[in-house]
Amino acid sequence: MRVMVTGGAGYVGSVSVERLVAAGHDVLVLDDLSTGHGGSVPAGVRLVRASFGDPDDVARAMAEHGTEAVLHCAAKSLVGESVTNPAKYYRANVVGGVMLLEAMRRRGVRRLVFSSTAAVYGTPEMTPITEDAPLRPINPYGETKRAFEAALAWYGAAYGLRSVCLRYFNVAGASEMHGEVHAPETHLIPNVLLAAAGGPALNLFGDDYPTPDGTCIRDYIHVEDLADAHLLALEATALDDARTDSQLICNLGNGGGFSVREVLEAAERVVGREIPHSIGPRRVGDPPVLVASAGRAGTVLGWQPTRPGIEEMIGSAWAWRGRHPAGYGE
Ligand code: UDP
């Protein structure tokens, strides 16, 4: 299949590109490199440096490539920034997303897999969270993802778009070739590993939550398991596949969780020494527990995570760091 991956030079996108290429697909990466890394695009995969929000550029790239399906990983994705600068998030994630859909309509491309997020749920009433839980995002990041999911449903009903929304929980780990490099880095595991490698000590955001050890619990999922789910979801968008006659939404998590302290302790076992850290105040907008019910991805997509261990996730990220001390060297 000829698949365009928006954000294919980013963390999740690059591992998905690797997986798609390994499965024999013809992949085109569309990325403006605002946060992605040109060096992450494998040799032999074409990179078009353009924004997914520019329908002329996107339609041209699609025509040259013969795109049949889109994996839409590109987005603005910093929760804190979304609160202080919502305009940036609405422009990119909603307006840009709709422009991508317009380019697809122009080209007659009707298959799309969307990188969505657990942030669409906000602070859940029940855990583990099922896909039918109410959507009450508590920040513009989650809100813009929710809005685009809804657009996909309406485009499906009116124009025959077939979409799968994958609501990621906490993505972690690395493949052989690709790992996580963000500037600034806000996520827990990269910050733990930065501290382990001699960077700033980890600031642990709050230990007075209503959880067994007082720190927040998250459902971490290995980025390679996520990439497997993308492949299965793309297959489910085939025009004769009843699973996407209407929009399909699946959570992606392991259905279990680890606290911030457990992640820190697992990382200490991986690196074989204590990791400098301090306890700071809570970070605004952090729900105490976010754990997925990922049964639907299993029953409908046939997806099973195969790397649920937190040490394996952290170990793969640590090994990748060791092999790429300068990230992608940009
Ligand atoms: N966290 C932390 N220190 C950090 C980064 C994150 O204590 O430097 C905590 C954060 O408060 C949350 C958990 O780690 O409880 C996971 O945060 P992350 O930003 O990785 O993912 P999120 O759950 O916000 O998507």
Side-chain angles (χ1 to χ4, degrees):
M1 193 179 354
R2 287 186 291 275
V3 184
M4 171 182 280
V5 182
T6 72
Y11 170 44
V12 167
S14 63
V15 180
S16 299
V17 168
E18 191 183 331
R19 182 76 186 82
L20 286 166
V21 169
H25 296 293
D26 174 350
V27 178
L28 174 85
V29 170
L30 185 106
D31 199 305
D32 65 4
L33 302 185
S34 56
T35 52
H37 309 277
S40 74
V41 179
V45 171
R46 200 169 142 227
L47 165 67
V48 172
R49 188 170 180 175
S51 163
F52 65 87
D54 184 325
D56 292 335
D57 283 353
V58 174
R60 196 176 313 116
M62 283 178 165
E64 283 168 18
H65 176 231
T67 302
E68 296 164 283
V70 174
L71 175 57
H72 183 32
C73 295
K76 296 296 167 204
S77 62
L78 297 176
V79 170
E81 183 186 56
S82 80
V83 176
T84 54
N85 191 0
K88 182 174 179 180
Y89 282 70
Y90 276 89
R91 230 171 12 237
N93 296 355
V94 180
V95 179
V98 170
M99 290 297 113
L100 171 67
L101 297 183
E102 289 306 288
M104 290 175 66
R105 267 187 349 119
R106 239 197 260 173
R107 293 297 317 156
V109 179
R110 286 168 50 199
R111 304 174 60 174
L112 182 132
V113 172
F114 176 49
S115 296
S116 191
T117 168
V120 297
Y121 298 113
T123 305
E125 280 161 17
M126 306 254 285
T127 191
I129 307 169
T130 65
E131 291 84 353
D132 303 322
L135 303 184
R136 297 191 192 117
I138 56 170
N139 52 59
Y141 169 61
E143 181 63 48
T144 56
K145 289 282 185 171
R146 189 199 61 79
F148 191 65
E149 283 193 0
L152 292 176
W154 290 111
Y155 272 62
Y159 311 126
L161 177 73
R162 308 182 73 102
S163 67
V164 181
C165 297
L166 298 174
R167 293 178 180 159
Y168 309 161
F169 281 61
N170 288 62
V171 188
S175 68
E176 275 293 306
M177 289 163 62
H178 297 109
E180 188 168 11
V181 185
H182 293 118
E185 187 50 77
T186 63
H187 291 113
L188 176 63
I189 292 176
N191 278 346
V192 170
L193 297 183
L194 205 60
L202 177 75
N203 184 5
L204 201 153
F205 298 141
D207 66 350
D208 58 351
Y209 284 94
T211 59
D213 67 15
T215 65
C216 290
I217 294 174
R218 294 288 180 274
D219 187 339
Y220 295 89
I221 171 162
H222 198 296
V223 66
E224 291 191 294
D225 282 333
L226 208 71
D228 289 345
H230 290 157
L231 199 65
L232 294 166
L234 276 167
E235 286 163 9
T237 60
L239 302 186
D240 60 355
D241 193 317
R243 290 175 295 177
T244 48
D245 282 344
S246 59
Q247 183 183 44
L248 175 62
I249 295 177
C250 295
N251 287 339
L252 294 181
N254 281 301
F258 298 96
S259 72
V260 175
R261 251 189 210 293
E262 285 172 330
V263 168
L264 177 64
E265 285 162 12
E268 289 180 335
R269 289 194 295 278
V270 167
V271 305
R273 57 181 178 272
E274 285 188 9
I275 298 177
H277 65 277
S278 59
I279 315 285
R282 291 182 177 193
R283 185 172 69 177
V284 176
D286 273 341
V289 181
L290 281 178
V291 172
S293 160
R296 185 185 288 171
T299 51
V300 180
L301 293 179
W303 174 75
Q304 287 304 331
T306 59
R307 307 157 186 89
I310 192 69
E311 281 187 33
E312 182 177 353
M313 288 182 228
I314 296 171
S316 67
W318 182 242
W320 191 83
R321 264 191 76 92
R323 288 193 300 274
H324 302 85
Y328 289 104
E330 291 151 356

